[in-house]
Amino acid sequence: MNLYEAIFLRKSNRDFLMDEVESETLAEIGAFFEEAPKLFPGIKTEIGITDNTDGRHAPKGLFGVKAPYYLTMYSEKKDRFMMNAGCICEQISLFMLTLGLGSCFLGSVRYRKDARRRGDMEFVIVMAFGKAAGRLTRRAAEAKRLSVQELCSVREEPRRWTSDILEVARLAPSAFNAQPWRFVVTGSRIHFFSKKKDFAHPGKWDEFNFGCLFAHVLIAADELWLDVDLIRLENISQKSFKMSQYVLSAIIKME
């Protein structure tokens, strides 16, 4: 299984065996983070892994999950840092699945005081992970997601490969499965919009959600050997939209 295949199989695991994971596997996760494509490479990020196999180091909170390991993400607090963190974390989650490990994002937990900062970087999110106690994967058809037709407005018939990008984009996870995105297709371009009226002042996890979506787009582009640019188009960003806000565009360069 590779990252692209993992997109169609990944589920949020909340039940884990408290078994140890081999140190070599943990090292692989760290190495993957170092090499994973960043949405905004100029934003400094780090991760940490906490061993909770003894059950004594779990974060606290209403939506906490007991797991053998917790990955913490830290980031410089810059423009779109949450989107960048979401892109990285989703890639890590998919990589964990390729290693036979389950994971889930824990966005509303309180972590121990000494883990809330790392140098000049701020704590972003915790990921619980380990060997799943139940079913590790699910079929894409089981994902509770809106269809492409419900999410997408077509201004110009999609060209080759555009539909593949749309499919992985719709499968992206989001907080409480809110699916806060809408897509506008013009040939080989996909314009991504937030349902929020003012994305300049998003909710705490809105940008993180979009980061997960753009991780899927980057992975699909690599798998399908596509040259895709994720950019913000000025001619769209200057426009005002009644019920949504422009985020970014995926430009698929056709041969």
Side-chain angles (χ1 to χ4, degrees):
M1 183 195 311
N2 61 22
L3 294 181
Y4 180 72
E5 293 165 336
I7 289 174
F8 300 92
L9 298 173
R10 181 192 175 277
K11 62 180 294 237
S12 183
N13 292 99
R14 303 187 72 85
D15 295 308
F16 297 91
L17 302 173
M18 297 301 287
D19 295 351
E20 289 187 1
V21 170
E22 294 77 7
S23 59
E24 293 81 5
T25 301
L26 298 177
E28 283 187 74
I29 294 171
F32 176 83
F33 162 74
E34 295 293 339
E35 298 297 326
K38 313 301 191 288
L39 198 56
F40 303 110
I43 301 176
K44 187 166 63 174
T45 56
E46 286 188 16
I47 61 170
I49 293 178
T50 299
D51 186 333
N52 186 51
T53 51
D54 61 3
R56 299 172 58 187
H57 304 286
K60 307 297 181 183
L62 180 62
F63 300 105
V65 169
K66 184 179 181 182
Y69 297 90
Y70 298 97
L71 182 145
T72 48
M73 164 65 73
Y74 302 88
S75 174
E76 286 184 292
K77 194 173 182 179
K78 292 184 175 181
D79 185 41
R80 302 297 174 99
F81 79 98
M82 287 292 286
M83 191 182 296
N84 188 62
C87 181
I88 297 168
C89 285
E90 177 64 4
Q91 291 179 79
I92 293 173
S93 178
L94 292 168
F95 180 67
M96 287 177 176
L97 183 57
T98 71
L99 299 176
L101 302 175
S103 65
C104 68
F105 298 128
L106 304 178
S108 300
V109 297
R110 301 185 306 277
Y111 213 51
R112 66 183 193 275
K113 188 175 181 179
D114 63 348
R116 292 177 189 171
R117 293 190 65 86
R118 180 168 288 194
D120 60 347
M121 290 180 287
E122 294 192 1
F123 165 79
V124 175
I125 197 170
V126 174
M127 290 174 59
F129 74 95
K131 297 175 183 177
R135 186 178 169 191
L136 176 63
T137 62
R138 55 107 174 101
R139 293 180 294 112
E142 296 174 325
K144 296 179 180 179
R145 302 286 192 273
L146 296 174
S147 67
V148 169
Q149 291 72 25
E150 292 173 294
L151 292 169
C152 190
S153 173
V154 178
R155 302 291 178 86
E156 182 183 330
E157 193 65 24
R159 296 183 186 174
R160 186 184 180 196
W161 305 121
T162 306
S163 297
D164 299 88
I165 299 294
L166 289 170
E167 180 60 20
V168 297
R170 83 170 189 90
L171 289 173
S174 55
F176 300 106
N177 200 28
Q179 302 171 73
W181 34 68
R182 292 296 181 266
F183 317 140
V184 176
V185 176
T186 57
S188 60
R189 298 187 174 195
I190 306 171
H191 309 294
F192 297 95
F193 290 81
S194 166
K195 289 194 300 181
K196 303 294 184 181
K197 292 184 179 180
D198 185 8
F199 197 73
H201 300 87
K204 182 176 182 181
W205 296 109
D206 290 344
E207 286 197 357
F208 189 91
N209 294 335
F210 271 89
C212 293
L213 181 151
F214 293 132
H216 284 202
V217 173
L218 292 174
I219 290 168
D222 182 68
E223 175 69 17
L224 301 172
W225 290 46
L226 299 176
D227 189 355
V228 177
D229 287 335
L230 284 173
I231 59 175
R232 187 171 174 82
L233 299 175
E234 288 302 318
N235 63 321
I236 299 179
S237 63
Q238 299 301 319
K239 295 181 180 179
S240 177
F241 300 92
K242 185 177 180 181
M243 298 300 294
S244 60
Q245 184 70 28
Y246 174 62
V247 182
L248 287 176
S249 295
I251 313 299
I252 305 173
K253 298 180 180 179
M254 313 302 292
E255 295 181 356

